[in-house]
Amino acid sequence: MNITAEISRLIENKSNLYKQLSDQVWEYAETRFEEFQSAELLCDSLEQEGFSVERGVVGLETGFIGSYGSGGPVVAILGEFDALAGLSQKAGFKEYNPVDLNGNGHGCGHNLLGVGALAAAIAIKDYLKENQLQGTVKYFGCPAEESGYGKSFMARDGLFKDIDFALSWHPSTANAVMNAYSNAVIHATFQFKGRSAHAAASPHLGRSALDSVELMNVGVNYMREHMEDEARIHYAVTNSGGFAPNVVQAEAEVTYLIRAPKPHQVKNLYERVVDCAKGAALMSQTSMEVQIEGSCHNLISNSTLEKIMHQHLDDLGFPEVTIEEVEFAKEMYNSLTDIEKKSAELSVGKEIGQRLKEKPIVDFILPYSEKPVFMGGSTDVADVSWNVPTAQCTTATWAFGTPFHTWQVVAQGKESYAHKAMLLAGKALASTAITAIGNPSIIEKAKAELQERLDGETYEALIPKELQPPKNKRQEAVY
Ligand SMILES: [Zn+2]
């Protein structure tokens, strides 16, 4: 029996368990660094399958590693399980209908991501065991993908040192192997302190921290003309100093995401943004403190592993969908705005786009793109990809056109077609891992490709050495 058929059988044997686990993580909907129940559920499942589990790794309270096997090769399967704030939505509803108006929701499908990856890890374990093969599988429970940079902390502290290659996936609207590169990012928060005073009676005694924030932002906005084309800088004012205009604002805070294609470029831009903050403080006679909250590198893809993953994904194909599934996917598609529908059509071309309007579940595998696609955003998978060869795929867990981080993603999080796509991803990952474990030359080639792409650079974490992950702290996501 070939590898994909064998892996399919192993995953289908436990498919009910995976569907239940994914639905349960969807129900918990815990945001970054607070995924206590979700992490525990996944840890328990790994232990029941014979994995040894290490909880709370590198100071991440909800980070863990489940290991099975002995000796090399060692494969890391990366799983995420954090939800997003403010995206509560009832499952299976075709209209916006939150469970709790201010609640959280799995708006990026990480309930599926974490459990699809778990299915892969367990199938690799079952395959190694049944076939008495040498090798180790490690499931990395990676918290806080949404602007928490869980994997960057893991990479900074050397958790990928003994890994040979890493695999992951992401829920999406299409079945494809990702050949993408992303921006590196530094997330930093600037706090200004001034002096309060009556803004009309004694304005000369006040020094406004809000002025500093405004001046800093003006300075940074002037920088934009003089940055790399693909660089991006965006900010949010997280403390404007209060609600009273007649009180000079003694405190104010602004948080920045600074992105550029390479770590050295992002470091340089960060220093220039800090200079703008210093200049603003000088102009307004306030004091300034800056804190790096997190960061990640740019993603390095690995065509050696990607091509193998694509072959497996092609062999597996997308499962049959039912009339009921297509009907619900249609409701989801119809809930999109005209601009969203147009943008979806543009992404696949007119002909396929027209066809998908009638049957908005992408039930085919997209060809492998030899040319890497640029993602303006960032991902903490990048820090793993600087350390070990890393490959990822997406599967069609959501109706054609569904945008990420929306109520529609949450509404589809427990659908049967989402489950099917999740299991497909698990199968693609596990088959790729087994193929590579059985062929050391593939791993050597993947490693050589990584070295070539690094072109002499080595991984140096952008997260400062002293920065610790937050402890059980509720924060608004700033994705
Ligand atoms: Zn995501």
Side-chain angles (χ1 to χ4, degrees):
M1 199 180 251
N2 70 21
I3 289 171
T4 45
E6 189 62 15
I7 290 292
S8 288
R9 180 185 64 82
L10 291 170
I11 287 190
E12 287 303 330
N13 280 348
K14 294 174 184 169
S15 63
N16 284 336
L17 169 72
Y18 301 135
K19 290 173 196 169
Q20 278 165 21
L21 290 173
S22 169
D23 288 357
Q24 187 60 58
V25 175
W26 186 98
E27 294 285 343
Y28 290 148
E30 297 164 294
T31 53
R32 61 180 184 152
F33 297 120
E34 296 197 329
E35 316 94 329
F36 291 100
Q37 297 180 92
S38 310
E40 200 43 45
L41 183 71
L42 299 176
C43 285
D44 271 357
S45 311
L46 285 164
E47 280 173 340
Q48 276 170 29
E49 288 288 336
F51 284 72
S52 63
V53 178
E54 191 189 345
R55 292 168 168 81
V57 293
V58 301
L60 291 159
E61 289 179 311
T62 51
F64 59 91
I65 299 175
S67 308
Y68 178 89
S70 62
V74 185
V75 54
I77 303 293
L78 312 174
E80 300 165 10
F81 34 81
D82 56 328
L84 288 158
L87 272 182
S88 173
Q89 163 69 25
K90 286 181 185 153
F93 272 65
K94 60 181 180 182
E95 284 127 21
Y96 173 61
N97 191 344
V99 182
D100 163 6
L101 210 51
N102 299 312
N104 309 324
H106 268 289
C108 207
H110 294 181
N111 58 310
L112 300 159
L113 198 172
V115 177
L118 182 88
I122 293 173
I124 297 166
K125 179 266 295 181
D126 286 340
Y127 190 98
L128 292 176
K129 203 172 168 180
E130 279 187 13
N131 295 281
Q132 297 179 345
L133 295 172
Q134 191 189 292
T136 302
V137 51
K138 289 192 175 202
Y139 180 93
F140 277 71
C142 309
E145 191 278 332
E146 302 289 354
S147 292
Y149 314 102
K151 297 180 203 71
S152 307
F153 285 101
M154 290 174 161
R156 181 196 64 180
D157 293 356
L159 291 192
F160 297 98
K161 287 276 176 272
D162 65 342
I163 302 294
D164 288 299
F165 63 102
L167 304 175
S168 195
W169 75 288
H170 203 290
S172 176
T173 57
N175 309 293
V177 170
M178 287 163 75
N179 179 9
Y181 66 104
S182 63
N183 268 327
V185 63
I186 291 182
H187 174 195
T189 298
F190 299 80
Q191 268 187 327
F192 292 91
K193 287 207 166 68
R195 235 179 7 251
S196 69
H198 192 297
S202 48
H204 58 293
L205 298 180
R207 294 294 179 268
S208 168
L210 180 59
D211 284 357
S212 321
V213 166
E214 292 189 71
L215 288 165
M216 175 187 173
N217 294 346
V218 169
V220 173
N221 289 334
Y222 271 91
M223 266 175 62
R224 293 181 194 280
E225 197 186 334
H226 311 286
M227 317 189 306
E228 291 81 6
D229 282 350
E230 288 160 318
R232 298 192 178 2
I233 300 185
H234 19 273
Y235 56 82
V237 177
T238 39
N239 177 8
S240 61
F243 301 102
N246 60 349
V247 179
V248 173
Q249 293 81 0
E251 274 185 24
E253 187 187 270
V254 58
T255 195
Y256 267 79
L257 290 171
I258 303 157
R259 307 186 207 248
K262 291 275 182 186
H264 72 267
Q265 293 168 331
V266 97
K267 265 202 242 173
N268 179 269
L269 285 176
Y270 166 72
E271 278 157 23
R272 290 169 65 191
V273 170
V274 171
D275 278 347
C276 288
K278 284 181 184 164
L282 191 63
M283 282 189 272
S284 54
Q285 294 197 319
T286 58
S287 63
M288 186 278 292
E289 267 180 46
V290 54
Q291 163 85 47
I292 292 183
E293 311 268 352
S295 65
C296 59
H297 275 50
N298 54 302
L299 185 69
I300 300 178
S301 54
N302 193 285
S303 66
T304 308
L305 293 174
E306 285 160 4
K307 283 177 183 167
I308 292 166
M309 193 184 269
H310 189 262
Q311 185 59 55
H312 284 300
L313 200 55
D314 243 356
D315 289 350
L316 288 157
F318 196 82
E320 287 287 311
V321 286
T322 64
I323 295 166
E324 293 76 27
E325 287 171 340
V326 173
E327 283 307 308
F328 187 70
K330 242 183 182 169
E331 299 282 9
M332 286 290 107
Y333 179 77
N334 290 335
S335 75
L336 304 179
T337 62
D338 287 344
I339 294 175
E340 285 167 339
K341 287 177 187 163
K342 192 80 207 155
S343 150
E345 193 185 292
L346 276 174
S347 71
V348 291
K350 203 165 181 137
E351 197 188 319
I352 299 176
Q354 289 295 332
R355 183 153 56 85
L356 285 169
K357 274 183 189 170
E358 295 312 308
K359 191 187 178 192
I361 295 179
V362 177
D363 59 358
F364 51 89
I365 314 295
L366 291 174
Y368 177 69
S369 159
E370 291 284 348
K371 197 169 162 263
V373 178
F374 173 61
M375 295 157 53
S378 312
T379 166
D380 62 2
V381 175
D383 286 57
V384 184
S385 77
W386 270 70
N387 283 279
V388 293
T390 304
Q392 304 179 82
C393 67
T394 64
T395 59
T397 52
W398 312 319
F400 173 58
T402 307
F404 285 55
H405 294 195
T406 54
W407 67 261
Q408 286 96 335
V409 167
V410 190
Q412 295 172 82
K414 290 163 102 177
E415 284 304 302
S416 53
Y417 57 79
H419 290 148
K420 286 178 183 174
M422 167 183 82
L423 297 177
L424 171 64
K427 291 171 188 176
L429 263 55
S431 304
T432 308
I434 291 299
T435 299
I437 286 172
N439 294 280
S441 64
I442 293 174
I443 299 174
E444 288 318 309
K445 196 177 162 204
K447 285 182 178 175
E449 184 185 340
L450 173 60
Q451 287 313 314
E452 198 181 307
R453 288 181 187 245
L454 285 171
D455 196 20
E457 287 189 82
T458 51
Y459 176 72
E460 217 178 289
L462 286 170
I463 295 185
K465 280 190 193 69
E466 64 285 358
L467 184 69
Q468 285 304 307
K471 297 274 177 219
N472 192 14
K473 195 171 135 200
R474 186 169 288 280
Q475 293 183 359
E476 290 306 309
V478 289
Y479 38 93

